[in-house]
Amino acid sequence: MPPSALQERPVPSLLRQARRQLMSSGNLPPDLILPELTQSWMRCWSAGLQPCGRTPGAPHASGAQLARALEVQRELVAHARPVMEFLLDQTRETDSMVVLAGADGMLLHASGDPHFVSRAERVALRPGATWHEQYRGTNAIGTALTDDRAMVVHADEHFLERNGFLTCAAAPIHAPDGRMLGALDVSGDYRGYHRHTLGLVRSAARMIEHRLFETRHDLRHWGGLKLRLHAQPEGLGTVTEGLLAVREDGLLVGASATALDILGLTWRDLQHVRLDAVLAESMEQLLDWCQRSTYIPRVVHTLSGQAVWLRVETGRASSGVHRTTAAPVAVAELTDALAAMDTGDAVLQAAIARARKVMGKAIPLLLLGESGVGKEVFARAVHDSGPRQSQSFVAVNCAALPENLIESELFGYQGGAFTGARREGAPGRIREAHGGTLFLDEIGDMPPTLQSRLLRVLQDQQVVPLGGGKPVAVDFALVCATHRKLPQEMQEGRFREDLYYRINGLTLQLPALRERSDFDELVARQLRRLVPGHSIMIAPELMVCLRRYAWPGNVRQLANALRTACALLDEQETVIAWHHLPDDLAQALAADSSNLAAPWANGGEAPAAALDLRSVSRQTIARTVSACGGNLSEAARVLGISRNTLYRKLRDQAGSL
């Protein structure tokens, strides 16, 4: 893969000539500018962008939408931010900024020199703005995502003249399984262009990919083999090494870009190529090394004859296993977003299995379930596990938008279509989902007047903006969700029957939390995500109460409760107890007579004061201190708190009496 599509900067006069030619004839002559730049400019022209003047409205997320995107991309952002700070140190006082974008081109995080950041905001180079090529023209972030390659776009190479003051270098970031996650970018004043910037950005992107790989294939959880590759033994264990995740039957299921370069593979080869197709040494030999001398570097050879140093590390499931054959299996072990949702509940497993069978087919999904069961999370997992994963996932909550805005939000509008409309118009959420997935949450709350318009779009596969204009063809996977009973809504005239049968390709009922059998694993996974690297537990008597609770807010309520409890833990605490719970949840648990027996050892009825959170905490501490014979060190250990914390709580309780 070449390091950049635009390594040698085109002459400014040729760029001006190319722009004039494009605007006058709609075509670019061959060999006037680089082919890669020509292809990007022609894509922008075909998308209806004009190099000069005002541009059509590009999507810009609200504060809530940006917060949701950051939540969805939490793992990427968490691993990217330290690297971005390092990159910022390397580029400080160069009139530039460092930017992280998601796979859809939305800017997630940015920081840099205050003066330049202020200038960049004038062209919406700030978090929440979407810099996909179809909206912002040729630019390093959007074009790197489109072409899936590291990219420099300098000065007048930007398709839109208003961005000509920028020089930008961006590199895509991939998940270990090859999915595009986003792009890392350094943007600055065009007069400060330096050809080394792209190399710096590419190295930073690979640092992020390296951390993502190590997290995803942590040997405490990953059951296959992890291979570390480098031309020199001293390079093993550094960020310059190549990384491979190999299933025990030899299938390559994860990699870093460096490993792909060493082996002459691409991201598309993952899940399709076996190790014996790239290395002369057999899988059986690697497994034998694991048994006899794990972590010792050895020399292996690619099938092209290249010698490479390799270190084999084994996961929990492959430890001590020796296979005489590396027979392929009929079905690949699944490690995608849907597999990550499987925590052991049989009903959810069945829903996941059925969803897999229709992925990539023109069959809409209808997700049913109570509020908070994770319908949007499930829809996003279907998208991230399917063939459209590299394209946009566009979510619209039909119940959250005012009726007078949902039409323009969905279908877009022409400039001046209504009072307050932007002069340049807006494409609408349906057009934004072109090529990807459109998720209509709470579709049962869509106003009847708009249901007919949506039906027309689904039938004709084209959308007409509000205020008129030419129909625009759209292609997207459709996932809808609702907590309402749509057959009853149809009988009462609130939902169109023809629309129901159009969106009801495959209906999946997601279970409520109180109906799931995987509660303990769900809690454990949430705690690992909330406090990575620490072993956080829930006090046994409290866990009994949590299991029995009805959870009216379902998984969303559980996640919020655990997030609050983790935030209330003192630095040395490792056990979540009653006093860490939000007040409303603690009182609800204590008020449930079936749950009250657990926090009190005497087995009798809890006192009325137990309905207050402070009383629950006080009784738990007093009971534990008494059970430990007054030994405060032992009581603190049982409670999972430090001695200082226990002393402080006892002083607070004494002062309140």
Side-chain angles (χ1 to χ4, degrees), residues 63-101:
Q65 290 170 330
L66 177 58
R68 179 180 294 182
L70 290 170
E71 177 71 13
V72 170
Q73 295 272 40
R74 184 190 308 106
E75 185 180 26
L76 170 63
V77 175
H79 288 299
R81 290 190 68 166
V83 177
M84 293 176 71
E85 291 173 5
F86 167 78
L87 197 55
L88 191 60
D89 284 340
Q90 312 308 308
T91 58
R92 199 173 298 280
E93 298 181 358
T94 60
D95 212 17
S96 62
M97 63 190 296
V98 181
V99 182
L100 176 69

Side-chain angles (χ1 to χ4, degrees), residues 276-549:
D276 55 16
V278 292
L279 287 184
E281 285 71 20
S282 66
M283 186 68 184
E284 184 178 13
Q285 178 68 66
L286 298 187
L287 288 169
D288 183 64
W289 289 346
C290 283
Q291 286 185 312
R292 294 189 292 107
S293 51
T294 303
Y295 301 114
I296 295 179
R298 299 175 181 273
V299 175
V300 295
H301 298 82
T302 67
L303 292 186
S304 62
Q306 178 186 3
V308 180
W309 283 92
L310 173 143
R311 192 166 74 201
V312 185
E313 298 175 5
T314 178
R316 54 175 174 79
S318 56
S319 186
V321 174
H322 181 75
R323 297 190 178 207
T324 56
T325 61
V329 295
V331 180
E333 179 184 344
L334 298 165
T335 58
D336 55 19
L338 276 173
M341 288 193 67
D342 183 1
T343 48
D345 179 73
V347 176
L348 186 60
Q349 286 175 339
I352 291 172
R354 298 185 72 196
R356 286 192 185 284
K357 293 183 178 181
V358 300
M359 286 192 314
K361 301 175 182 177
I363 298 175
L365 276 180
L366 178 59
L367 305 180
L368 305 179
E370 299 176 6
S371 295
V373 297
K375 296 188 289 291
E376 181 172 347
V377 175
F378 191 95
R380 185 175 288 276
V382 171
H383 169 80
D384 289 342
S385 304
R388 297 176 182 259
Q389 60 185 223
S390 62
Q391 303 299 316
S392 299
F393 176 86
V394 177
V396 180
N397 189 321
C398 300
L401 288 171
E403 186 170 346
N404 61 333
L405 292 181
I406 189 171
E407 184 172 17
S408 58
E409 178 80 5
L410 268 179
F411 305 104
Y413 58 86
Q414 295 278 35
F418 53 87
T419 303
R422 292 184 297 186
R423 181 181 303 175
E424 64 272 19
R429 304 293 277 165
I430 290 178
R431 286 180 61 186
E432 290 173 18
H434 179 67
T437 298
L438 177 66
F439 174 59
L440 298 178
D441 197 8
E442 300 300 354
I443 193 170
D445 294 277
M446 176 176 281
T449 54
L450 297 185
Q451 294 176 22
S452 58
R453 283 207 65 185
L454 176 61
L455 178 63
R456 177 63 61 185
V457 170
L458 299 180
Q459 289 175 338
D460 299 344
Q461 295 187 319
Q462 58 184 18
V463 60
V464 178
L466 190 64
K470 294 175 59 179
V472 179
V474 287
D475 169 42
F476 53 80
L478 179 66
V479 184
C480 299
T482 183
H483 71 284
R484 298 189 180 276
K485 299 183 184 302
L486 291 185
Q488 182 179 337
E489 296 290 308
M490 287 190 298
Q491 290 178 3
E492 297 175 1
R494 291 190 294 269
F495 200 84
R496 292 180 61 108
E497 184 175 358
D498 47 4
L499 178 59
Y500 173 73
Y501 291 113
R502 175 65 66 171
I503 66 175
N504 183 18
L506 172 64
T507 297
L508 298 175
Q509 178 78 42
L510 301 187
L513 180 55
R514 63 183 175 276
E515 300 168 346
R516 292 175 60 164
S517 60
D518 57 348
F519 184 83
D520 286 18
E521 176 58 28
L522 197 59
V523 169
R525 184 171 295 190
Q526 291 273 6
L527 292 176
R528 288 195 297 268
R529 180 180 61 82
L530 290 167
V531 194
H534 294 77
S535 180
I536 304 298
M537 301 176 60
I538 294 180
E541 68 274 10
L542 176 57
M543 192 64 177
V544 172
C545 299
L546 295 177
R547 290 191 194 105
R548 294 177 179 173
Y549 183 52

